[in-house]
Amino acid sequence: MIHIPLWKRLLIWAICALGILYAMPNMFYSRVEGHNDAAAAIAAAGGTATPEQTAALGQWPDWLPSDLVNLGLDLRGGAHLLAEVQVGDVYASRIDAMWPDVRDALRPLRDQVGNVRRQPSPPGVLRVAIENPAGMQQALTAVQALAQPLVTLTGVGQTDLQVTAEGDTVVVQLSPAERAATDNRTIQQSLEIIRRRVDEVGTREPTIQRQGEDRILIQVPGIGSAADLKALIGTTAKLTFNPVVNRTTDAGANPGPRNLLLPAADEPGVYYIIEQTPVVTGEDLVDAQPAFDQNNRPAVNFRFDPAGARAFGDYTANNIGAPFAIVLDEEVISAPVIQSHIPGGSGIITGNFSVEESTELAILLRAGALPAEMTWLEERTIGPELGQDSIDAGSLASVIGMVAVVFFMIACYGWFGVMANVALAINIALIFAVLSVIGATLTLPGIAGIVLTMGMAVDANVLIFERIREEIRQGKGPSRAIEIGFEKALSAIVDSNITAILTAVIMFWIGSGPVRGFAVTLGIGVLTSMFTAVYVTRLIIATWLAFRRPKSIVV
Amino acid sequence: MRLRLVPEKTTIDFFRWQYVTFGASLVAVVLSLLAVAVFGLNFGIDFRGGTTIRTESTQAVDVGEYRTAMQTLGLGDVTISEVFDPTFGPDQHVAMIRIEAQDGAEAITPEVIGAIETALRAVDPAITFPSVESVGPKVSAELIWSALLAVAAGSAGIWIYVWLRFEWQFAVGTVAALVHDVLLTVGIFAIFQIKFDLTIVAALLTILGYSVNDTVVIFDRLRENLPKYKKMPLRDLMNLTTNETLSRTIMTALTTLIALTSLLVFGGDVLRGFVFAMMFGVVVGTYSTLYVAKNIVLMLGVDRGGPKQDSPAGTRFAEAEN
């Protein structure tokens, strides 16, 4: 008789029962999904439910587990983007904004340094020539005084600016420590802003992750195409208000130093020359809402924070009668003439918008501008029909493969094959249960991984059964043969499975995309198949032995 | 009535054609390397950069017309191939269009994709585009590197594990068998010019896992038999061990192949290359288990000094289980 303590039996059955319970929602995928969506929508709405939501909620009882395996983009359809954030952009705007401060810091030193002149320089570097090189030391000290101490852990004792002298020129740029900190901040901000923009559209379970140093991976199931997704998150939505220098129709006009030549958004062939340094930027916005102007055309209402409101108010008070430009992503949306002092810090952007455009612009402004531009390294769109085809083909292949394996096992091992098949079924339930609970994503290669583990899960049982056969041949009694068979096969099972897990871990660690999805299912499949082969099959056979007490067995 | 794939007791001499089989394996490995060098691998966009567009239509695909329609767009090298699959319906016609990476652009722009779609719609109004995938040259270079790294790290991990659990001769034999299996599979992909992308790398890694599994089971039995038959020559002992485990080797290979065959036939064209790689790997892996790994161990010899000649880590496990 094979002795298995009662607590162990109970534990094994409990694990199997839990596995089946947690795998079950996947059998009723659309139903449970409807229930989950409705529950999320009701929670978001603060507990009030529409009749449809209540109906959807009722499709699946609350007391049952409702975790589902996430379907990957290749199964559900959707868009996948890999973006690289141009972190260098931020240095440029930070340093550019330093110029007025540097000028002001050097002004009291005019006696020592003479006149100061800004010189052309690459982005991210500010070069200021001083008339009197003898005063360089004072100039450096004065500019260095503008630097802020760093507050990061690694940057203790360092400041954010690196100020050096090159002949008669003061060169100001961000210090390396500050650059690293800025990069990190830029990525975090970009992640946050992308997340807000994607959430505003309200799709289900988008994946927005940082990858490596300066990359962001965005996967949104159910969206029409990568192009749509790019239009949504690729827009920098950088809003600035700049003084207008001139208006021209000459695309080749020379804007002059520190001015920009930008096209007008709604008047083809018209260009504005504006000052490069803005009066206020979109970062000072606290709110933006779609609205209509006095002529009933779509527009966007906005409100500044106190600092922005002050700057905007001061500027409008001093420049009544002058035009200023509202610039969005390198295009002049409109260039109204300042009629009066605007003290309240709110205003309206009018342009040639449609209602959709003004709504989208409001969303983008509200979510905030991306701190830097993004370039696209990889994009994939998978249509939902192709995804459905893949699910259908994958499930059909799995079912047929499983039936074939089941018959093959019964043909080879008879009653023992039947018991191994029960363990195999439990194994598949366990795989789905674990995938659901950890929220893993099932991809097409992942389905192949499950089919493969079915083939390999049988391996452990084959090892055991072959051992039992050998022991029977040597004349051992049924329960003794079975016991020794399990014991002796264990070392081979452990060895072979550990190597399989090893490769799965390496695949997960190094691989990306489809390789990872495959590694997860393979790794989980190997673990659960070890459990079912060693514990579940053993328990089933032990129970059968105790019940039947056969005199002899044929494996 | 039981299905017996292998007779209860076999006495096959696996070393009878030792030099022939080993030589054949060597030749096959060299041929695979040659095939890769001469034909090259048909890299997918994952590794080469570029764009693939999958089209689907109720009308028959006319590759020539597609090509003419896209010629005016100036996209450089364009490959168009029709996809056939038994799972497609009677009026389901699928083609894959591959466009090389465009100069100066990391990923293809939506305008270009829009232009291609418009051009193809002019040819065939019923056409749809179930998937569009675009990978920039920067990422694809990194993907090649990480794929190579994955296969190398997988082999190294297996080497170390087998070394710790058994002895170094076994580790050398196992890894030689792995390299044999992976190279032969890559060689087949070069000869038939099957698309080689990231999922194929996953298949290669699984072949590693499967092949090592197969080999380790025999080595495990060999380790168990070594102290039992102290006087038997290593060659005979290996034959005995292999014959003892032969039934299991064949059974497992067959069940795995059964499951994979179902995927190959019914799993759709997207997975076909992947499944093909696995099936080939399982067959080659079984062969290399029987004829490559053990040959190398036999050539290197095993230290059979005493009854406890297992490495310390191995002994601990073996004692716990006996």
Side-chain angles (χ1 to χ4, degrees), chain A residues 402-482:
Chain A
M402 185 157 167
V403 169
V405 169
V406 163
F407 273 107
F408 186 63
M409 284 299 282
I410 295 176
C412 289
Y413 296 108
W415 175 242
F416 279 76
V418 174
M419 291 192 278
N421 287 331
V422 173
L424 183 62
I426 292 175
N427 178 31
I428 289 173
L430 283 176
I431 294 179
F432 273 98
V434 176
L435 286 175
S436 307
V437 171
I438 66 172
T441 301
L442 187 67
T443 57
L444 197 51
I447 293 183
I450 292 177
V451 174
L452 186 75
T453 36
M454 291 193 323
M456 295 198 5
V458 172
D459 178 53
N461 280 316
V462 169
L463 273 168
I464 295 166
F465 292 166
E466 293 293 328
R467 274 298 173 125
I468 296 176
R469 278 183 180 173
E470 281 173 39
E471 299 304 322
I472 291 172
R473 246 177 269 146
Q474 287 173 15
K476 298 229 169 61
S479 69
R480 188 85 193 112
I482 290 171

Side-chain angles (χ1 to χ4, degrees), chain A residues 82 84 215 227 230 375-383 385-386 389-390 393-394 396-398 400-401 404-405 408-415 444-445 447-449 451-452 454-456 458-459 462-463 466-467 469-470 473 487-488 490-492 494-500 502-503 506-507 509-512 514-515 518 522 554-555, chain B residues 1-5 8 45-46 54 56 92 106-110 113 130-136 138-139 142-143 146 149-150 153-154 157-158 161-162 165-166 198-199 201-202 205-206 208-210 212-213 216-217 220-221 223-224 228 244 247-248 251-252 254-256 258-260 262-263 266-268 270-271 274 278 317 321-322:
Chain A
L82 181 66
E84 191 170 66
R215 292 192 184 159
K230 254 160 80 169
T375 48
W376 308 105
L377 302 181
E378 195 183 325
E379 56 179 279
R380 298 171 196 264
T381 309
I382 288 109
E385 306 82 19
L386 185 61
D389 287 354
S390 296
L396 179 69
S398 309
I400 292 177
V405 169
F408 186 63
M409 284 299 282
I410 295 176
C412 289
Y413 296 108
W415 175 242
L444 197 51
I447 293 183
V451 174
L452 186 75
M454 291 193 323
M456 295 198 5
V458 172
D459 178 53
V462 169
L463 273 168
E466 293 293 328
R467 274 298 173 125
R469 278 183 180 173
E470 281 173 39
R473 246 177 269 146
E487 271 171 20
K488 283 196 170 171
L490 189 66
S491 136
V494 169
D495 272 336
S496 59
N497 281 302
I498 284 182
T499 48
L502 205 66
T503 42
I506 290 170
M507 271 194 254
W509 179 39
I510 296 179
S512 59
V515 178
F518 179 69
L522 185 70
V554 184
V555 178
Chain B
M1 186 54 211
R2 292 291 155 81
L3 179 66
R4 289 267 186 225
L5 296 165
E8 224 164 71
I45 54 162
D46 289 341
R54 185 184 170 98
E56 195 176 320
Q92 194 178 10
E106 269 303 329
I108 204 158
T109 59
I113 292 175
S131 81
V132 179
E133 305 188 42
S134 188
V135 179
K138 196 171 187 175
V139 173
E142 290 170 11
L143 288 177
S146 79
L149 200 65
I158 287 167
Y161 181 76
V162 176
R165 279 293 268 135
F166 300 92
L198 264 186
T199 54
V201 175
L205 284 160
T206 318
L208 283 189
Y210 179 87
V212 75
N213 181 340
V216 159
V217 168
D220 186 84
R221 191 60 173 259
R223 182 174 61 189
E224 188 188 317
K228 246 199 241 167
E244 277 177 352
S247 158
R248 175 264 161 197
M251 268 299 292
T252 301
L254 267 179
T255 42
T256 312
I258 287 174
L260 286 174
S262 153
L263 267 184
F266 304 104
V270 181
L271 267 184
F274 177 81
M278 300 269 235
F317 267 91
E321 286 140 19
N322 279 329

Side-chain angles (χ1 to χ4, degrees), chain A residues 148-306:
Chain A
Q148 305 283 326
L150 282 186
V151 284
T152 57
L153 281 177
T154 47
V156 177
Q158 300 184 46
T159 57
D160 61 350
L161 291 184
Q162 183 180 324
V163 187
T164 49
E166 271 178 30
D168 63 347
T169 311
V170 181
V171 180
V172 186
Q173 50 192 330
L174 293 182
S175 66
E178 173 65 11
R179 279 181 196 215
T182 307
D183 288 356
N184 215 7
R185 218 160 34 226
T186 308
I187 300 285
Q188 292 302 338
Q189 267 175 15
S190 303
L191 278 175
E192 185 51 39
I193 287 162
I194 292 172
R195 193 165 294 136
R196 270 191 257 161
R197 289 186 185 177
V198 173
D199 282 349
E200 293 256 11
V201 188
T203 65
R204 183 189 293 129
E205 291 177 29
T207 308
I208 299 161
Q209 281 172 349
R210 178 175 185 172
Q211 273 202 343
E213 283 286 299
D214 54 0
R215 292 192 184 159
I216 296 178
L217 171 76
I218 306 140
Q219 289 187 324
V220 184
I223 200 162
S225 75
D228 294 352
L229 184 58
K230 254 160 80 169
L232 177 68
I233 58 181
T235 322
T236 325
K238 191 170 176 193
L239 181 74
T240 55
F241 296 82
N242 302 50
V244 173
V245 179
N246 206 346
R247 182 188 142 113
T248 171
T249 51
D250 175 11
N254 176 16
R258 278 181 308 292
N259 288 340
L260 293 173
L261 180 74
L262 295 181
D266 48 1
E267 295 168 280
V270 175
Y271 294 84
Y272 286 92
I273 296 174
I274 59 165
E275 282 183 26
Q276 193 181 352
T277 310
V279 178
V280 252
T281 70
E283 280 173 41
D284 299 317
L285 284 180
V286 284
D287 193 21
Q289 292 295 337
F292 292 94
D293 66 1
Q294 65 269 37
N295 299 325
N296 228 5
R297 289 181 311 169
V300 175
N301 262 327
F302 61 87
R303 204 149 46 78
F304 284 121
D305 61 9

